[in-house]
Amino acid sequence: MCRSTKTSSTRGPTGRPPGTTCAARTPRVTSPPLTPRWSSTPAAACSKTAGTTRQKRPCAAMASRWCATPKPPRTEPRAEAAAGHPPATRTVSPFCGAQTGAVFVHTPSSDPMTLRVRFAPSPTGHLHIGGARTALSNYLEARREGGAFVLRIEDTDPERSKKEHEEQILRDLAWLGLRWTEGPDVGGPFGPYRQSERYDRYRAVAMDLLARGLAYRCNATPEELDQMRAEQSAKGEDPRYDRRNRDKDLGPDCGPHAIRVKMPIEGLTVIDDLIKGRIEIRNELLDDLVILRTDGTPTYNFVVVVDDHDMGINLVARGDDHINNTPKQIHIYHALGAEVPRFAHLPMILGPDGSRLSKRHGHTSLGQYRDMGIVPEAMLNYLARLGWSHGDQEVFTEAELIEHFRLSDVGSSGARWDMDKLEWLNQTWIQSFASAELVERALPFLEAEGYVTAGLGARLPAIIGAFQKRSRTLVELAKQARFFFIDDAELSWDEAAVAKHLKPEAGALLSALADRLEAEPTWEEPALTAVVDALLAERGAKMGKLAQPVRVALTGQGVGPGVYEMLLGLGKEISVRRLRAGAARAT
RNA sequence: GACCCCAUCGUCUAACGGUCAGGACUCCGGAUUUUCAUUCCGGCAACACGGGUUCGAUUCCCGUUGGGGUCGCCA
């Protein structure tokens, strides 16, 4: 029997169940949900059709929305980007073909489609760096193609979803520099963008599936199912739903029940993944998954498909831990009569030991890296380079990433998190900042150390500049700058350095230097250099003779910034005072 | 266990049948220097294994091993 015959008879003229307001939700880009995207009649759909290759091209009209953002110059849409996309997904025997063994290939819309991608975090915690990577990949793809980047909140878990998490995730994404064209905060034509606000829609779709015989009621209790799985395991079988209620056609009066969707029982589902290539899964392995729980709330695999369809998402890029969900989702698309998007499954980010990155490996949330003084440019750069490369280039600006990054060029193997490389990139980026830029970035970290940064005038950029080439992170910068901000009495003294460099003859030099500097009206590098050079010339000494004693006197330590950097950062008063104190110590 | 994914220096990666297997991080030397850092030069270091296919495999195929992921009325 060809199931879609029944489908067509139950769908009705509008293809929409009563009470569904989906048309209002999908003003454009997609046809109304529940209307088959595949062309012609159900009978035609059941017949064998040839594979088709979807063509996609950048939409110039959509590019303007990105141009509204001030940042980097947009690169030209690339003509070659349009070519060569593989067929989205090919399914062998979904509902209609399953029973006949026919090969079914859905026919994509012929409309030139604007790329629409999404990032759908669940607000149950902070933004994980894996999530950040996924978000970035989607974002770059959208930017290059002039498409839409949709942010959707997957808050169907009322227990764990928290508003403050959602807000924090949005802030973290913004910190990274990602900007979305549609989302819960900015709105958009496909809202609402929080799943908790779309429950009516999910229920309506589920009821429609039920009415069309593509889903069914299952009154097995979770306890019964647990027992079933336990028995299966005991017998050495794979634990899975035994389809016990699939063909019973249970009515609404069957007691507390969930709604399950019917998966095909035989055949093959094929995913043509942008990153992984061809993936085949035997349909017999697919469980009839619950789409509506007993309490009426929808489940993840269901809402994802409904939303992605409603929102016109045509490329889904996510972690490869979702690969096993994909065939089930594809069949839900088919049940909805919806076009299946292309998929790109990004490999996982692994911990340094090769296992899945977790808290025990250290920091896993984006916010923690921000707090440790990683700049967003470096994080963006590092995240993009994980699993992807462009020639021998290591440092990329956002604009360069938008131009060169492609999901299809991402490697298919997992990548380990390498803090050393991240810090190296961070240092490289810190070195690239203009003075005022670095000051602005470093200020919060200085304040976090408890330093008073107000009223420093030109000393502040001098202090921060002194560490621009000496810091791998902004926290490191702030900690190194400590001697600039504390009272003389608080200086910590490296006794070995003191013993080595603050000897009597050095004391005389320091004392003389202090006198001359005190008399110097111009506290700028050329003037200071002149003072030091003159002193050195008179004494017939080299800089090497003076630098270390000065450094120890000024900082208490044997290592630190250059002499003039210290002098400029400290200012005249403190410099002279510390030099005198150092001279006194040296006698 | 079943299913799915993956496999080049320690790490991130390049190579798209013929290369002295390239670059970057880390590490180790050296140069510059005012200590440290920066910068510049140099060095160590890899095709997991076994079968095919081929005149020729790191590249293609199969298997083994190893690693990762998924097996919920979580997302």
Side-chain angles (χ1 to χ4, degrees):
Chain A
M1 168 200 116
C2 182
R3 205 165 279 283
S4 59
T5 303
K6 181 181 180 186
T7 297
S8 67
S9 66
T10 55
R11 194 188 299 121
T14 64
R16 211 174 300 126
T20 310
T21 56
C22 54
R25 282 204 175 88
T26 56
R28 58 202 179 99
V29 177
T30 52
S31 56
L34 307 187
T35 299
R37 286 309 281 269
W38 48 64
S39 56
S40 70
T41 64
C46 274
S47 66
K48 291 189 182 185
T49 49
T52 52
T53 301
R54 175 187 295 181
Q55 293 292 328
K56 186 173 65 61
R57 69 178 79 78
C59 175
M62 294 295 280
S64 59
R65 97 172 8 136
W66 288 110
C67 291
T69 60
K71 264 238 172 146
R74 238 189 78 65
T75 54
E76 287 303 306
R78 300 163 67 105
E80 66 268 30
H85 285 303
T89 51
R90 186 151 26 115
T91 302
V92 182
S93 67
F95 296 96
C96 60
Q99 282 73 15
T100 63
V103 173
F104 172 82
V105 179
H106 78 269
T107 309
S109 161
S110 58
D111 306 339
M113 295 231 284
T114 299
L115 179 68
R116 292 182 58 82
V117 298
R118 46 73 161 181
F119 177 59
S122 142
T124 53
H126 55 232
L127 180 61
H128 186 96
I129 48 184
R133 204 263 285 246
T134 302
L136 172 62
S137 303
N138 277 292
Y139 169 78
L140 293 174
E141 205 72 12
R143 287 298 307 269
R144 190 189 69 239
E145 299 280 325
F149 177 46
V150 178
L151 183 63
R152 183 175 70 224
I153 301 299
E154 308 229 321
D155 55 352
T156 51
D157 185 340
E159 286 294 302
R160 298 192 298 146
S161 294
K162 292 278 185 316
K163 188 73 179 172
E164 51 270 35
H165 289 144
E166 176 186 322
E167 289 163 357
Q168 186 59 53
I169 288 170
L170 262 56
R171 275 199 297 274
D172 285 347
L173 288 169
W175 173 80
L176 238 200
L178 307 191
R179 300 174 291 284
W180 42 98
T181 50
E182 296 165 35
D185 54 339
V186 297
F190 297 89
Y193 293 92
R194 264 182 217 98
Q195 291 182 330
S196 57
E197 295 166 18
R198 304 173 66 87
Y199 277 20
D200 290 348
R201 169 69 181 144
Y202 307 134
R203 183 177 312 243
V205 175
M207 290 305 130
D208 178 71
L209 257 27
L210 202 53
R212 290 158 56 207
L214 299 174
Y216 59 94
R217 296 185 178 85
C218 173
N219 59 5
T221 64
E223 293 70 34
E224 282 169 32
L225 296 175
D226 284 346
Q227 188 188 339
M228 173 197 74
R229 291 192 194 92
E231 287 168 5
Q232 290 167 329
S233 296
K235 282 189 285 188
E237 297 171 2
D238 299 335
R240 47 175 316 203
Y241 179 65
D242 59 7
R243 305 191 181 104
R244 57 178 63 180
N245 293 317
R246 179 189 242 239
D247 300 311
K248 286 186 185 166
D249 202 18
L250 261 24
D253 55 348
C254 65
H257 61 273
I259 309 286
R260 288 179 186 268
V261 67
K262 288 181 181 174
M263 287 291 152
I265 293 174
E266 52 186 39
L268 217 53
T269 299
V270 178
I271 309 168
D272 269 312
D273 194 278
L274 248 53
I275 294 173
K276 302 283 187 177
R278 182 187 172 90
I279 301 171
E280 296 181 3
I281 289 100
R282 296 197 307 276
N283 291 155
E284 66 197 74
L285 267 14
L286 270 24
D287 269 357
D288 285 350
L289 54 85
V290 170
I291 57 175
L292 231 50
R293 301 185 185 96
T294 302
D295 67 4
T297 59
T299 59
Y300 168 78
N301 278 112
F302 181 55
V303 298
V304 163
V305 173
V306 172
D307 285 346
D308 282 343
H309 174 244
D310 284 358
M311 295 179 184
I313 303 302
N314 45 30
L315 169 60
V316 172
R318 77 241 285 202
D320 70 8
D321 50 341
H322 284 283
I323 286 181
N324 290 298
N325 290 328
T326 307
K328 297 176 194 173
Q329 293 178 4
I330 285 174
H331 290 293
I332 295 178
Y333 278 102
H334 287 149
L336 297 184
E339 183 175 347
V340 182
R342 292 139 74 213
F343 291 101
H345 286 97
L346 293 151
M348 298 273 89
I349 297 178
L350 276 17
D353 64 354
S355 66
R356 196 216 248 279
L357 188 65
S358 69
K359 290 105 300 185
R360 74 190 161 81
H361 295 299
H363 298 156
T364 56
S365 79
L366 198 66
Q368 288 173 307
Y369 289 91
R370 178 192 57 227
D371 294 347
M372 74 173 71
I374 299 294
V375 299
E377 287 86 346
M379 182 55 87
L380 205 68
N381 195 155
Y382 180 73
L383 252 17
R385 268 290 280 111
L386 220 45
W388 173 83
S389 65
H390 179 70
D392 287 340
Q393 189 171 347
E394 294 290 347
V395 180
F396 292 86
T397 61
E398 185 196 11
E400 288 172 320
L401 289 175
I402 290 169
E403 182 179 0
H404 298 299
F405 181 89
R406 307 175 158 229
L407 274 174
S408 55
D409 290 340
V410 173
S412 49
S413 54
R416 301 188 194 207
W417 189 254
D418 183 355
M419 199 57 205
D420 281 331
K421 183 111 182 208
L422 208 210
E423 288 195 350
W424 172 77
L425 269 174
N426 201 234
Q427 178 176 37
T428 303
W429 274 100
I430 286 175
Q431 286 182 42
S432 78
F433 293 143
S435 174
E437 177 76 43
L438 184 59
V439 169
E440 190 183 325
R441 310 256 192 160
L443 221 40
F445 292 88
L446 298 179
E447 279 157 11
E449 292 293 322
Y451 306 153
V452 177
T453 56
L456 256 32
R459 285 182 55 201
L460 190 59
I463 290 170
I464 291 169
F467 296 105
Q468 184 156 21
K469 287 184 163 46
R470 277 171 253 261
S471 309
R472 284 168 78 88
T473 69
L474 294 175
V475 165
E476 199 177 296
L477 184 152
K479 289 195 183 302
Q480 292 187 104
R482 181 177 163 76
F483 70 85
F484 277 116
F485 294 95
I486 56 177
D487 292 339
D488 297 0
E490 291 177 84
L491 284 173
S492 62
W493 295 89
D494 176 346
E495 292 306 333
V498 170
K500 186 172 179 188
H501 299 295
L502 294 188
K503 291 174 177 168
E505 69 265 37
L509 214 46
L510 290 177
S511 185
L513 180 64
D515 291 344
R516 295 187 185 208
L517 286 176
E518 188 169 39
E520 174 54 55
T522 314
W523 203 256
E524 284 166 9
E525 181 154 353
L528 301 180
T529 307
V531 169
V532 170
D533 286 350
L535 177 64
L536 255 22
E538 281 173 34
R539 306 280 173 121
K542 290 289 200 56
M543 188 59 168
K545 203 81 173 164
L546 183 65
Q548 279 302 79
V550 169
R551 183 166 292 109
V552 175
L554 259 24
T555 73
Q557 302 292 309
V559 298
V563 166
Y564 302 110
E565 291 175 311
M566 294 187 292
L567 256 19
L568 257 11
L570 249 13
K572 185 172 183 175
E573 185 189 337
I574 300 173
S575 296
V576 169
R577 196 171 66 221
R578 288 191 186 175
L579 287 172
R580 292 228 163 92
R585 217 176 247 266
T587 50

